[in-house]
Amino acid sequence: MGKLQGKVAVITGGSSGIGLATAKRFVEEGAYVFITGRRPAELEKAKAEIGNNVTAVQGDVASLSDLDRLYQVVGDVKGWVDVVVANAGFVEHAPLALATSEHFDKTFGINARGVFFTVQKALPLMKNDGSVVLVSSGLHLKGFPAHSTYSATKAAVRSFARTWAAELKDKGIRVNTLSPGAIDTPIIDGQFPNKEQADGARAMFAQMTPLGRIGRAEEIAAAALFLASSESSFATGIDLVVDGGVTQL
Ligand code: NAP
């Protein structure tokens, strides 16, 4: 029997990278998944790759009405949620001296506010013994130039997990963060003007990482499965760092 047999999971940003790998793994483990993303074509492609036990709902986590529509669909199709993986996120480089208010608001709107309301709006559908996994980043533990807003949103997410773990424990809902290091997904390409520079960044991250390489999305999906399932039944409020040792050694 799969580790998520019969469970219903919502995975924001399930159309690419870590979210897509997590959705595939959850379905292999017996779950029904709802995936989201803004780009309809990417979402449909991901849905086809996952194959069965999946519903794709287009939407932006920064939009409260899109989140309402997501949970309306979840309620109509399944009626409840066991697992929420608040994964949708993005990175835009901006040194302090150059960051605009638009950059600040966009980063916090998606990465922090988006996570906040993704979880708040799931609560009416969440059963006891649920699990919430917030995808943070190892960068919340580091000082990395041009990442002040991004890293701060991920620190906010880590803080949400502590407070929500305390608030929701009596409902049997566990809340944890998952902090990846550098993982080989399209989010790296999105930060550079061309593939050559993105691959240069991949090589730099591999060189910085004690295990000597960057990670694979499937390795983060395995950690998400641990936090989502009863395998982690005594863990709440933790930050599970999966980063090849880069923030720890
Ligand atoms: P990715 O491949 O770029 O995937 C990001 C996913 O989020 C896509 O499905 C994207 O779809 C969706 N998304 C982005 N903004 C959204 C929004 N406003 N509303 C709804 N969906 C949105 O990136 P990834 O590497 O898998 O990243 C997933 C998470 O891991 C992020 O929170 C990221 O910060 C975190 N993380 C990644 C790494 C890494 O090295 N890869 C390291 C640490 C943490 P659309 O663009 O179509 O909306």
Side-chain angles (χ1 to χ4, degrees):
M1 193 168 104
K3 288 180 177 164
L4 291 175
Q5 200 62 45
K7 303 287 186 188
V8 175
V10 170
I11 302 168
T12 62
S15 61
S16 173
I18 291 168
L20 176 55
T22 300
K24 286 180 182 169
R25 185 69 198 272
F26 281 16
V27 168
E28 280 167 24
E29 296 287 343
Y32 190 99
V33 298
F34 291 84
I35 58 169
T36 80
R38 292 164 303 180
R39 292 164 300 166
E42 290 295 315
L43 204 53
E44 280 312 307
K45 200 166 142 242
K47 186 182 166 193
E49 270 185 48
I50 296 165
N52 53 23
N53 290 331
V54 55
T55 296
V57 185
Q58 190 277 337
D60 184 341
V61 295
S63 159
L64 299 187
S65 58
D66 282 5
L67 288 173
D68 286 335
R69 191 165 42 77
L70 163 66
Y71 290 114
Q72 182 71 49
V73 173
V74 176
D76 290 347
V77 174
K78 281 290 178 184
W80 81 91
V81 178
D82 300 288
V83 176
V84 176
V85 182
N87 164 76
F90 97 115
V91 190
E92 190 173 67
H93 296 176
L96 174 60
L98 300 178
T100 62
S101 60
E102 289 77 16
H103 158 80
F104 186 99
D105 291 346
K106 185 177 176 193
T107 306
F108 274 79
I110 295 173
N111 292 2
R113 184 177 178 272
V115 168
F116 189 96
F117 289 105
T118 293
V119 177
Q120 186 202 66
K121 289 177 179 292
L123 292 179
L125 288 172
M126 282 200 83
K127 292 172 41 166
N128 285 349
D129 302 324
S131 175
V132 175
V133 181
L134 309 179
V135 180
S136 178
S137 164
L139 280 181
H140 85 81
L141 297 160
K142 302 286 283 182
F144 209 63
H147 286 70
S148 53
T149 53
Y150 178 78
S151 302
T153 62
K154 296 303 187 178
V157 164
R158 200 280 169 261
S159 174
F160 291 161
R162 291 186 193 277
T163 308
W164 297 345
E167 284 188 13
L168 300 176
K169 66 180 169 43
D170 295 335
K171 278 193 77 183
I173 298 173
R174 298 179 298 106
V175 187
N176 296 292
T177 56
L178 172 52
S179 288
I183 308 300
D184 193 1
T185 74
I187 208 170
I188 297 180
D189 301 291
Q191 296 169 59
F192 298 94
N194 56 53
K195 181 152 172 43
E196 197 183 0
Q197 285 187 38
D199 287 345
R202 285 181 169 90
M204 180 194 73
F205 292 139
Q207 200 258 332
M208 286 167 56
T209 301
L211 289 187
R213 61 176 177 86
I214 63 173
R216 291 178 289 108
E218 292 75 18
E219 293 175 304
I220 304 304
L225 174 63
F226 170 72
L227 292 176
S229 71
S230 60
E231 292 287 299
S232 61
S233 52
F234 202 46
T236 195
I238 71 160
D239 182 32
L240 179 57
V241 178
V242 182
D243 70 350
V246 72
T247 62
Q248 307 294 311
L249 308 192

